Amino acid sequence: NAFAAGRQGGYTIAPATNYGWDGGRNNFVNGYHDNRMTGNTFNRGPPRMERGRGGVGGGGYRGNRGGSFNPINPAQPMSFGGYGNENAGGWNTAKDAYSSFGNNRGKSAFFNDRGNANRGRFEHGGFGGGGGGGNSRWVEESRDDGDWSKPTPRNERLEHELFSGSNTGINFEKYDDIPVEATGQNCPHHIESFQDVDMGEIVMGNIALSRYTRPTPVQKYAIPIVKSKRDLMACAQTGSGKTAAFLLPILSQIYADGPGEALNAAKASGQENGKFGRRKQYPISLVLAPTRELALQIYDEARKFSYRSRVRPCVVYGGADIGQQIRDLERGCHLLVATPGRLVDMMERGKIGLDYCNYLVLDEADRMLDMGFEPQIRRIVEQDTMPHKGIRQTMMFSATFPKEIQILARDFLEEYIFLAVGRVGSTSENITQKVVWVEESDKRSFLLDLLSATGKDSLTLVFVETKKGADALEDFLYREGYACTSIHGDRSQRDREEALNQFRSGKCPILVATAVAARGLDISNVKHVINFDLPSDIEEYVHRIGRTGRVGNLGLATSFFNDKNGNITKDLLDILVEAKQEVPSWLESLAYEHQHKSSNRGRSKRFSGGFGARDYRQTAAGVNAGGFGGRGGRNQAGHGGTRGFGGGGFGNFYTSDGYGGNYSHSQVDWWGN
DNA sequence: AAAAAAT
C-alpha cells in the first residue's frame, strides 16, 4: 500500500486564533456552523460566505478529541518516557498498532477529524513538526546533533495523528505487467519489495506504520535510482504513488548521511544573530509544487515519513501568514516543501539558504517548467546559491511530460535516468471515461441529472475553466439544494483549504474547481470527475480525471463536449482509444475532420523551433536500439524509441504523422501567452 | 477566450 495518501484526517490542529490567514479577516466565527446554516451575519462579501462555510472549527475538535489532549498547548517538553521506554527502539507494525483504524472513512470517532473545519498549519510544530522536540532550543540542537540514522523515541499521540488516517486498500498487483522504460547509463536494477533496498530503520518503521505492503511500479524503479544518487525524470500515471517514490529514498539518504554542512551553516547563522537569534535555515532537500494545496499535501506525507527522525519538514506557500511560516522555519527545517513565489520571498528575506540543498524535487515537473513557472524555477535553482547540477541530485515527477518540456528539463539534470511507467501521459484504465455531447445551454441540467444519480457517499469533483464559472456553478448547485463548495485562485487561502477539507471529509461531497485542483491532490473516495468544461490541452485533462481512480480503485470521468472543444478532439480520442474506452462515433468523425482543418500543429510558439524530437508521445514498450543508450547516453531527449509499440497494445495512433500530428492545436493561438 | 504562483 505504498501510496502517498492525501492529507490524513486527525492531525491538523486548530489555531487558537485565526491570525494566520491572509486577507486580515477578523470575522471568523469561532465555532462550528452547520453547512446549511445561514447564521453568519458578518459581512463577507461573496454569497458563499453567508452559508456558514467560513466558520473555523475552533470548537469542533474538542469533542472529537475526547479531551485526551489539548492540541493547542500540548504537554511539553514531550515526554520521552511517557510512552514506555520498552518501546523506544521498536516499531509497531501495522497490525498491532492500527488495525482497528481500518481503511474506511468511518474510522474511530476518537480520531475522526470530521467537523474540525480548518485548523492552522503552523501551530502544530511544537509537537508534530518532525517529532522529537518541544520548543526549547536545547531540544532542537540535541536533535540535530544525534545520530540521524537512529530513530528518536516514540510518541503515541503523534503516531496516531500521522498514521490513523484512511488507507485505501490498493491493488496494484495487476499492474505488474505494465510496461516500464528505464533508460540511462548504468541504471540501477529495480526492487520488488521494500526490503530489497536498505532504507534504514526509520523509513522501514514508517512504511510499516503507513501500512504499505509492496512498492508500486514507480516506486520499484524510482527508489533504487534515487538511493543511488542519480538524477531522475520519472513519468507515471496519476495516483500511482509518485510522492512516496521520492520522499522515501530522499529521507532514507538524509537519515543515513546526517545533516552534514547544513547543520554547521544553520548554527553559524544562529551565532551571527545572537544565541537565541533568528537562524537562517539551510534545507537539505527542497520539493517544489505548483499549487499551495499540493505543497501542503506533500508536506503532510513528509511528516509521516520523517516521524521518529531528526528531520524536520516545513512548508511555505503564499496566501498564509508569512510570519507564522518564518517562525516555523526557525524551529528547524531540513526538508522544505514550497510553492515558488513564497520560497523566493523567503530567500530574499534571508530566511532560507539553498547552499546545502542536495536534493531537489520538481513535482508536477512539466507544470513547473512551463511558461508560467520556468523563470521562477530558474531563479531558485540557477540564480541563487543552490548547488549546481551534478552536485545536487535533481528529480522530476509527473504523469504528463510533453517532449518539449522534457528537453527544457535537461537544463536541470545531469546524467539522468528517464523512467516511464506506462506511456507518458496515459490515463489509468481504472477510470471509465465518458464523453457526452452537451451544448452550453444544457450543461447545468445535464449536470443535475448526473448528480441526482450519484450515491450519497461518493465525492464528485466538477471542473470548470474559469474562476467566475466556478463561482456561478457553485451558486447554482447550492440553490438547487446540493451540499457543494468551490476552490479557485481568487478565493482566500483559508477558504481554499476549508473547501478542500469539507470535500475530503464528505461534508460537501461536491466540489466545483478550476485548474487549481487538477494536479496531484489525493482525495480518497472521489468517485466521479466531471469536466463541465473541457480543458484546452490534454495534459490538463489527464490530470483532472486522475483525481479519481487512484491507488487501484475504480473511477468515473464524464466530460461535456461541444463545438467549443474542437481543439482537444484528436488528443482526447487518442487517450480514449489507448485506455480502451468507448469512443463515440461523432468524436471519431470530428477528430478526422479537425485533422484536415488544422494548420498550426505546433505545440506552442515557444517550442516551434524544430528539435530532433519527432514524437512527443512515448511508450514504455518503445525502447529501441537507436535511442538513449545507443548514442552515448547524451541524447537524452530521445529516451529511446518512442514508436516501438510492438506488443504494447497502444496501436499506432501516435505514430502516423510524427511530432506535429499529436498536437493539433495550440494554446498560444488563443490566449497569446 | 485562462489558471496558477509573493505582496
Side-chain angles (χ1 to χ4, degrees):
Chain A
N1 293 352
F3 275 84
R7 294 188 49 238
Q8 307 294 316
Y11 75 88
T12 52
I13 302 304
T17 57
N18 297 303
Y19 50 77
W21 295 93
D22 63 344
R25 292 181 172 81
N26 296 315
N27 49 1
F28 296 158
V29 178
N30 192 19
Y32 193 76
H33 276 235
D34 181 273
N35 190 45
R36 308 315 288 255
M37 285 174 66
T38 54
N40 180 354
T41 55
F42 293 101
N43 177 16
R44 299 213 195 142
R48 69 172 67 84
M49 301 304 291
E50 320 263 38
R51 296 177 198 157
R53 273 180 240 183
V56 168
Y61 61 85
R62 293 188 198 107
N64 288 345
R65 288 291 176 180
S68 63
F69 73 101
N70 178 345
I72 299 171
N73 296 303
Q76 55 175 310
M78 189 154 47
S79 164
F80 289 166
Y83 302 104
N85 285 330
E86 69 280 9
N87 284 327
W91 292 92
N92 270 334
T93 59
K95 279 182 184 162
D96 58 17
Y98 293 116
S99 51
S100 62
F101 297 116
N103 49 8
N104 55 54
R105 310 187 66 77
K107 50 192 188 264
S108 154
F110 189 80
F111 294 103
N112 196 336
D113 194 46
R114 198 173 286 208
N116 287 4
N118 198 15
R119 299 192 286 178
R121 304 295 158 202
F122 303 102
E123 292 294 333
H124 52 58
F127 51 91
N135 279 323
S136 87
R137 178 67 175 273
W138 184 87
V139 171
E140 283 181 31
E141 297 216 338
S142 74
R143 176 173 71 190
D144 278 358
D145 287 334
D147 178 348
W148 281 45
S149 68
K150 290 283 179 284
T152 56
R154 279 188 66 190
N155 174 338
E156 284 188 23
R157 190 202 59 241
L158 179 59
E159 217 167 274
H160 290 167
E161 271 182 37
L162 296 175
F163 298 105
S164 66
S166 70
N167 181 34
T168 49
I170 51 170
N171 174 12
F172 242 86
E173 278 73 8
K174 60 179 172 176
Y175 290 83
D176 282 351
D177 58 350
I178 197 165
V180 177
E181 174 183 350
T183 46
Q185 306 254 302
N186 302 317
C187 182
H189 199 265
H190 70 277
I191 56 172
E192 281 298 330
S193 96
F194 288 119
Q195 282 73 37
D196 290 349
V197 60
D198 180 17
M199 288 201 281
E201 195 180 349
I202 299 173
V203 166
M204 294 313 281
N206 289 328
I207 284 175
L209 286 171
S210 302
R211 287 156 296 175
Y212 290 3
T213 54
R214 311 180 52 192
T216 67
V218 65
Q219 291 163 1
K220 289 177 184 176
Y221 285 79
I223 286 173
I225 291 168
V226 174
K227 286 280 296 176
S228 55
K229 307 185 194 301
R230 298 296 300 273
D231 280 8
L232 173 64
M233 179 188 291
C235 311
Q237 288 175 349
T238 54
S240 65
K242 292 186 287 292
T243 307
F246 61 78
L247 285 180
L248 293 173
I250 288 173
L251 286 168
S252 111
Q253 285 304 112
I254 295 176
Y255 301 154
D257 298 343
E261 302 264 0
L263 173 56
N264 293 330
K267 283 184 173 173
S269 161
Q271 298 286 318
E272 282 166 25
N273 293 297
K275 181 154 187 186
F276 294 98
R278 297 312 181 205
R279 292 195 294 183
K280 183 174 183 175
Q281 294 297 320
Y282 294 89
I284 302 164
S285 179
L286 173 64
V287 181
L288 293 171
T291 66
R292 298 161 180 175
E293 290 75 16
L294 181 55
L296 191 48
Q297 177 182 294
I298 296 165
Y299 165 74
D300 287 340
E301 285 302 294
R303 286 188 73 215
K304 287 180 10 187
F305 300 130
S306 57
Y307 172 60
R308 295 191 65 180
S309 81
R310 289 168 167 79
V311 166
R312 188 166 194 278
C314 293
V315 63
V316 299
Y317 54 79
D321 180 69
I322 196 169
Q324 197 91 333
Q325 291 181 353
I326 289 170
R327 284 189 289 280
D328 189 58
L329 288 174
E330 283 167 349
R331 305 189 59 238
C333 173
H334 308 107
L335 184 147
L336 179 61
V337 186
T339 49
R342 179 55 63 91
L343 174 60
V344 169
D345 195 350
M346 290 291 188
M347 290 160 63
E348 287 170 354
R349 288 170 188 244
K351 298 303 176 189
I352 288 291
L354 297 176
D355 311 47
Y356 306 101
C357 182
N358 293 325
Y359 307 90
L360 169 65
V361 177
L362 301 188
D363 198 16
E364 306 295 342
D366 57 327
R367 168 64 80 234
M368 301 309 287
L369 294 172
D370 81 5
M371 286 170 292
F373 278 114
E374 188 208 334
Q376 288 171 283
I377 302 304
R378 290 199 187 273
R379 161 77 181 83
I380 293 163
V381 177
E382 295 181 332
Q383 291 154 31
D384 216 279
T385 54
M386 167 103 57
H388 291 135
K389 67 177 181 178
I391 295 172
R392 67 163 192 266
Q393 191 180 345
T394 309
M395 293 141 280
M396 304 188 183
F397 286 80
S398 186
T400 57
F401 224 132
K403 179 62 86 180
E404 322 81 73
I405 312 270
Q406 291 186 26
I407 290 163
L408 180 63
R410 289 155 59 198
D411 286 359
F412 303 93
L413 297 164
E414 180 93 356
E415 290 287 337
Y416 66 101
I417 307 281
F418 175 81
L419 173 64
V421 182
R423 186 189 64 77
V424 178
S426 64
T427 56
S428 165
E429 290 180 21
N430 289 333
I431 306 168
T432 300
Q433 301 177 54
K434 304 265 188 210
V435 182
V436 289
W437 186 281
V438 185
E439 298 294 349
E440 288 301 313
S441 55
D442 298 332
K443 280 183 171 179
R444 284 184 172 186
S445 70
F446 204 104
L447 178 62
L448 292 182
D449 289 346
L450 288 180
L451 293 177
S452 67
T454 300
K456 286 283 176 219
D457 294 330
S458 53
L459 304 186
T460 302
L461 181 51
V462 183
F463 281 105
V464 295
E465 266 303 271
T466 66
K467 292 177 278 202
K468 268 178 72 176
D471 282 338
L473 187 58
E474 186 213 359
D475 285 342
F476 169 74
L477 290 176
Y478 185 78
R479 288 195 304 271
E480 292 291 327
Y482 287 95
C484 61
T485 184
S486 72
I487 185 167
H488 63 67
D490 276 354
R491 299 196 66 186
S492 73
Q493 189 54 29
R494 182 189 149 275
D495 285 352
R496 285 167 54 162
E497 287 176 32
E498 170 133 350
L500 203 50
N501 286 340
Q502 296 201 328
F503 184 57
R504 282 190 203 272
S505 71
K507 183 161 180 53
C508 290
I510 299 168
L511 179 66
V512 181
T514 61
V516 71
R519 283 181 176 252
L521 298 183
D522 190 66
I523 304 162
S524 59
N525 209 31
V526 174
K527 293 283 170 39
H528 198 175
V529 170
I530 297 173
N531 282 310
F532 189 85
D533 303 318
L534 269 165
S536 56
D537 66 278
I538 198 66
E539 287 81 16
E540 170 82 10
Y541 173 86
V542 167
H543 286 280
R544 283 184 182 184
I545 71 169
R547 294 321 96 211
T548 188
R550 300 177 73 77
V551 296
N553 293 307
L554 297 180
L556 172 65
T558 303
S559 300
F560 296 175
F561 189 107
N562 61 37
D563 284 332
K564 288 169 65 181
N565 306 116
N567 44 67
I568 203 176
T569 313
K570 176 68 161 63
D571 294 326
L572 183 57
L573 173 69
D574 292 345
I575 284 284
L576 294 178
V577 170
E578 183 184 338
K580 303 188 176 90
Q581 301 296 305
E582 206 174 295
V583 178
S585 56
W586 54 262
L587 185 66
E588 217 159 359
S589 315
L590 269 181
Y592 182 76
E593 288 167 29
H594 198 264
Q595 209 170 20
H596 296 288
K597 267 195 305 200
S598 98
S599 54
N600 183 357
R601 292 176 156 195
R603 167 114 172 109
S604 77
K605 280 176 188 165
R606 173 197 181 103
F607 297 114
S608 61
F611 17 72
R614 289 177 49 76
D615 190 350
Y616 130 78
R617 314 280 171 169
Q618 294 177 329
T619 172
V623 186
N624 69 23
F628 186 95
R631 280 176 272 180
R634 299 306 303 168
N635 179 15
Q636 297 188 323
H639 301 308
T642 56
R643 268 166 276 166
F645 286 88
F650 300 136
N652 287 322
F653 294 95
Y654 310 118
T655 66
S656 55
D657 57 358
Y659 174 75
N662 294 314
Y663 268 91
S664 51
H665 69 279
S666 165
Q667 292 177 43
V668 168
D669 287 344
W670 300 341
W671 293 325
N673 54 10

